[in-house]
Amino acid sequence: MCGIVGYIGKHKAYDVLVKGLHRLEYRGYDSAGIALLKDDGTLNVYKAKGKVANLEASLSGKDVEGTLGIAHTRWATHGEPNDMNAHPQVSQSRSLAIVHNGTIENYNVLKEALVQHGYTFTSETDTEVLVQLIEYVKQENRCSLFDAVREALLQVVGAYAIAVVEKDNPDTLIVARKSSPLVIGIGQDETFIASDATPIVEYTNQVIYLKDDEIAVISRKAAIQILSLENNLPSQLNIQTLRLSVEQLEKGGYDTFMQKEIFEQPSTLCDCLRGRIVDGGERVVLSGVIENKERFLHAERIIFVACGSSWHAALIGKRAMQEMCQLPVEVEYASEFRYGNPYITDKDIVIAISQSGETADTLAAIQLAKSKGAFVYGVCNVVGASIPRNTDSGTYIHVGPEIGVASTKAFTGQVTVLLMLALCAGEIRGTVRPDTIKEIASALLRMPDMLTEVLKLDPVVSELAKIFTYAHNFLYLGRGYNYPTALEGALKLKEISYIHAEGYPAAEMKHGPIALIDQEMPTVIIAPKDSLHDKIVSNIQQVKSRGGLVIAITNKGDSAIARLANYCLEIPDVPECLTPIVASVPLQLLAYYIAINKGRNVDQPRNLAKSVTVE
Ligand code: M6R
């Protein structure tokens, strides 16, 4: 939530910053702003409500010179999205400007104290409080900008990644982080900072991920000093090489990122599987599990923590882990777990799933689980993000940057990794038969081809979407492994089309939702030929006999379902535990085309942000 970017060097900061804001716009798009510092000490701050394009349009003819600058794209937390609440926020004397991602929890107390000292406020943001506090400390203590930022941050409770510039200090950029990500990119006589590496990658692949409670002073000649906020001692510069290319961040001929990400799934699944299925498809090897063999061998319980689509993937993981590891498995919303006073022991393995690796609730759940002695395993996509750095071990899904706000390729990657995790841990525990491992592992290797096959449904789904674009409500039903697929299908539709959709276990429908069924409300039923096939045929009959319209996701040649459903989308036959991967693709396409027909911005749906770094 919120993206920050900064530049100090020899080139015009504006160009780097605006391009960077476009890359970070997936993190929030309520408003955007930029502060540019010229060598003569002029500090120009520009802000605009809405998307980065609005900011750019508003800057035509304005002075955008300067080789030091900071910029921000906002997902509003404190105060409505408007120009006043947009960042950068400036201090009372207008000598300091700040951009901030996170929330200052004690901002009210700090604000009251500052008001006592004669400070007035023009915005409703917690960020303005922080910049005023820095100014106050600086004036009171007659200290350097660095000392003032550090001293102010020691008074702050909350989460932040910040970048601060000072009018009379055109050679210095100060950044700091606590619980919100911040990456420093090291160029030739220039330095970049950003919430993630995407604005940096086209200039340099040398980066430092700032750690929690670190503050950095970056000076013009690319000199970087990182210190501990707490004791002011210098930290070592841990420079890493990015494995990210600019092409991965572009639409590559597709209309939207979401469409690209749906169609990339055959190749992203290849990347996800690479090197993990060995011995000619007979075994699964995940290094994070193998290196912690004893933990998996002696585990007494698995608890998944996640949010949104990652939580849906966890429900599929639960079923697989139960079956293959013969362990009790629980799935918790990270936001509930963290405040639920959960009973956790050192025999528990807590598996945190997160595409971004930055979700605040999931991070907090991890800290809680660790504090109670659990072994914490991460399943993430973004390499080097906070969650993989805060877990004991883990597996990356390696599906490449997901930029569309709706999770698509990350979801199928997560499910794939969780199935591999269940097989690998099950083998260690001796709870899954070798022929089962072989059957599923070799089917996993065929999944990229299966997805290529499923994607041929694209024109059919596009036509189907025309029929249902103007429905006001949808019901999604599934059973067993595909109850979570139904939840995921419903979430996809509601988040990008704004149509109300509910996912339900098919058999639960008769306990309430069946009352909603009429000709106006389509029911999407995931009904592959699995162990619950006969049951779901009855569920379809129940919908049909009440006049409902059924769109069924079925296997090829399933005449029982074809006779009942109004429309069928056929998916290839795969082992039962893999059906969510193939079945979720037509659901992604259905949501996509309905949203496009409604004229929605599918990559940046209203009110949402890709990475939810606030509670
Ligand atoms: O980055 P995470 O996987 O932790 O994100 C969790 C949710 O915010 C995310 O899955 C969200 O629900 C997506 N918009 C779903 O498409």
Side-chain angles (χ1 to χ4, degrees), residues 522-538:
T523 302
V524 179
I525 306 193
I526 301 108
K529 269 194 206 136
D530 60 12
S531 56
L532 293 165
H533 181 263
D534 292 350
K535 309 279 172 200
I536 207 138
V537 170
S538 312

Side-chain angles (χ1 to χ4, degrees), residues 422-435:
L423 290 169
C424 184
E427 189 191 14
I428 288 171
R429 294 173 61 81
T431 44
V432 60
R433 289 161 40 143
D435 54 343

Side-chain angles (χ1 to χ4, degrees), residues 52-201:
V52 178
N54 293 1
L55 175 72
E56 276 184 283
S58 72
L59 292 184
S60 141
K62 298 263 171 63
D63 179 359
V64 291
E65 295 305 317
T67 51
L68 167 58
I70 53 178
H72 188 269
T73 179
R74 178 169 186 246
W75 188 85
T77 56
H78 294 73
E80 67 173 273
N82 58 26
D83 290 4
M84 290 314 262
N85 291 332
H87 298 206
Q89 288 289 320
V90 293
S91 62
Q92 188 146 294
S93 71
R94 300 194 65 80
S95 67
L96 302 178
I98 190 171
V99 288
H100 167 216
N101 168 27
T103 41
I104 310 293
E105 286 168 19
N106 60 339
Y107 82 104
N108 259 329
V109 179
L110 297 170
K111 190 171 183 176
E112 272 167 33
L114 287 163
V115 169
Q116 299 292 316
H117 293 301
Y119 279 81
T120 54
F121 292 82
T122 54
S123 82
E124 300 157 89
T125 66
D126 50 346
T127 307
E128 188 185 13
V129 175
L130 179 55
V131 73
Q132 303 277 42
L133 179 64
I134 296 169
E135 176 162 295
Y136 171 72
V137 172
K138 190 164 188 299
Q139 286 173 355
E140 280 298 294
N141 298 356
R142 296 178 188 281
C143 61
S144 67
L145 177 62
F146 168 80
D147 287 335
V149 174
R150 180 170 169 264
E151 173 60 33
L153 289 177
L154 291 174
Q155 299 181 37
V156 157
V157 178
Y160 50 79
I162 56 161
V164 189
V165 294
E166 183 180 31
K167 201 171 183 316
D168 300 323
N169 205 346
D171 290 331
T172 308
L173 170 64
I174 308 276
V175 295
R177 77 156 273 179
K178 186 190 189 81
S179 305
S180 290
L182 201 131
V183 189
I184 301 173
I186 307 164
Q188 281 288 334
D189 292 335
E190 58 184 353
T191 307
F192 309 81
I193 66 99
S195 297
D196 66 33
T198 58
I200 296 175
V201 65

